[in-house]
């Protein structure tokens, strides 16, 4: 990038907006605190901005996340933090007012894969034209629907806006001070004040982490599948997911024969590339005689965490003709979530029958199948 040698280099700053809750991610915490490999989402963005001509970064966060963000930025030079408002508009404005400069870049904290090249292209454009909006050509055909009527929009003229979006500081502050209404991004605020945004080349890798699938893709997700079946017999308790089920028959096995928990254990072990429960907890070892499968599940979890993984989500199905399980599934789900240290949103349990076919349909056995997604972690936490 070449500046006019007759004038000093502009003071370039960035605002990284991280004050939202990110509820669509289904994470129990702010997604900018989510760890990808050895770095949080916020650290990844800060590391990239540190390689550019940006002199100062203002992180805008919520009061709730302020201690965690302060801890992160303490290792960076030229980074400060302010609390945002209850809307993105108010948060951006708080960030803009915190550090006056010549050129300012506004970036979504949930875009950790932004590249140095994209950042510098937006800076160049803002220096030369007043603005630089990272965007990529739309790869999908876009339909416009109004009053039940649909028409296609010309894809060659459509772009998906990204961040960062860079502006001359005085112009974007002027635009924000005069803006009225609802806006989807900063370029729209800029345009509403009569300025003309300039599009620059973004990157398809510069994704915004929004839904759970975005985080699985970013964390080297591993899928595991488990299955188990046990015969029903008299004089045994029926235990599913660690919950005693009121039924005259129970499952036959060396442990408590909790077929649902066994399927989940094997799914977790499969995803973590570990031996199955038959190898880890053989039915020839008396120390596992009548043992609670929830106890074994916690041991499996320890092995999964030690292997560098954490649970993304679990989905399991109990296959039984009888008893009817719908009334107790919420209790089973809560019990398993507590044992695994995950939220209810991360585990789903359902039940089905075999329409009276086979050993299960005859009421002589119960089976379960489970699948799970594990994601890589280096923090040793589930």
């Amino acid at each position: 990038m070449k500046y006019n040698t007759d004038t000093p280099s502009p003071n370039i700053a960035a605002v990284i907006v991280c004050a939202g809750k990110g509820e669509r991610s289904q994470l129990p915490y702010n997604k900018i605190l989510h760890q990808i490999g050895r770095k949080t989402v916020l650290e990844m963005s800060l590391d990239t901005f540190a390689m550019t001509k940006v002199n100062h970064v203002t992180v805008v966060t919520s009061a709730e996340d302020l201690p965690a963000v302060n801890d992160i930025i303490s290792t960076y030079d030229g980074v400060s933090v302010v609390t945002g408002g209850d809307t993105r508009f108010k948060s951006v404005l708080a960030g803009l007012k915190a550090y006056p400069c010549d050129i300012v870049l506004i970036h979504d904290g949930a875009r950790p894969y932004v590249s140095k090249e994209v950042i510098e292209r937006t800076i160049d454009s803002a220096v030369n034209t007043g603005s630089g909006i990272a965007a990529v050509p739309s790869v999908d055909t876009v339909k416009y629907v109004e009053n039940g009527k649909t028409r296609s929009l010309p894809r060659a003229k459509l772009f998906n806006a990204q961040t960062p979006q860079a502006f001359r500081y005085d112009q974007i502050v002027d635009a924000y001070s005069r803006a009225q209404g609802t806006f989807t991004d900063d370029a729209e605020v800029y345009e509403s004040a009569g300025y003309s945004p300039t599009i620059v080349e973004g990157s398809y890798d510069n994704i915004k982490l929004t839904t759970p699938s975005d985080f699985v893709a970013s964390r080297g997700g591993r899928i595991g599948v488990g299955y188990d079946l046990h015969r029903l017999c008299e004089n045994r308790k029926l235990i599913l997911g660690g919950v005693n089920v009121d039924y005259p028959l129970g499952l036959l096995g060396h442990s408590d024969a909790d077929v649902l928990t066994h399927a989940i254990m094997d799914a977790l072990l499969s995803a973590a590339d570990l031996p199955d429960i038959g190898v880890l907890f053989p039915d020839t070892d008396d120390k596992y005689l009548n043992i609670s499968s929830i106890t074994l599940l916690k041991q499996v979890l320890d092995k999964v965490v030690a292997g560098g993984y954490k649970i993304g989500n679990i989905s399991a199905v109990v296959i039984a003709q009888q008893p009817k399980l719908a009334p107790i599934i919420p209790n089973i789900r809560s019990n398993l979530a507590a044992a695994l240290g995950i939220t209810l949103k991360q585990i789903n349990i359902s039940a089905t029958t075999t329409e009276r076919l086979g050993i299960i349909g005859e009421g002589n056995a119960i089976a379960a199948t489970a699948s799970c997604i594990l994601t890589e972690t280096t923090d040793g936490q589930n």
Side-chain angles (χ1 to χ4, degrees), residues 200-236:
V200 300
E201 181 185 356
S203 170
Y204 290 106
D205 294 331
N206 185 21
I207 65 169
K208 185 177 182 181
L209 302 179
T210 304
T211 66
S213 61
D214 297 328
F215 290 86
V216 170
S218 71
R219 294 292 297 277
R222 296 178 63 94
I223 298 173
V225 176
Y227 175 83
D228 198 23
L229 180 147
H230 284 272
R231 183 179 293 276
L232 285 162
C233 66
E234 295 181 346
N235 301 317
R236 291 275 295 187

Side-chain angles (χ1 to χ4, degrees), residues 31-200:
K31 57 192 173 184
I32 60 104
L33 303 176
H34 193 66
Q35 200 160 356
I36 299 177
R38 297 181 180 275
K39 298 282 187 177
T40 62
V41 170
L42 176 57
E43 287 174 295
M44 291 174 68
S45 291
L46 291 174
D47 287 348
T48 304
F49 274 90
M51 296 187 293
T52 70
K53 296 179 179 67
V54 172
N55 302 316
H56 185 273
V57 175
T58 301
V59 178
V60 186
T61 191
S62 64
E64 177 184 0
D65 295 321
L66 191 58
V69 171
N70 265 321
D71 186 56
I72 290 172
I73 70 169
S74 64
T75 61
Y76 292 86
D77 294 327
V79 180
S80 61
V81 60
V82 297
T83 54
D86 57 1
T87 65
R88 185 184 186 279
F89 183 96
K90 292 178 181 178
S91 293
V92 171
L93 190 55
L96 291 173
K97 291 180 176 179
Y99 190 85
C101 55
D102 299 315
I103 300 293
V104 64
L105 291 77
I106 304 170
H107 184 63
D108 289 330
R111 291 187 186 270
Y113 300 112
V114 64
S115 68
K116 175 176 179 287
E117 291 74 22
V118 169
I119 292 172
E120 292 189 339
R121 281 196 289 269
T122 65
I123 293 172
D124 287 347
S125 181
V127 169
N128 295 319
T129 72
S131 64
I133 314 302
V136 291
S138 177
V139 296
D140 297 314
T141 298
V142 179
K143 301 293 185 181
Y144 180 83
V145 181
E146 186 175 22
N147 298 325
K149 294 184 178 180
T150 302
R151 63 185 177 92
S152 297
L153 299 179
R155 190 169 64 185
K157 297 182 179 180
L158 297 176
F159 287 78
N160 296 330
Q162 301 178 333
T163 64
Q165 297 185 0
F167 307 92
R168 278 185 49 182
Y169 179 82
D170 57 345
Q171 292 180 350
I172 192 64
V173 169
D174 172 60
Y176 261 89
S177 66
R178 294 194 281 131
Q180 295 182 354
T182 303
F183 304 92
T184 58
D185 71 348
D186 308 294
E188 191 175 5
V189 176
Y190 188 73
E191 188 176 5
S192 74
Y195 300 107
S196 181
T198 302
I199 296 294
V200 300

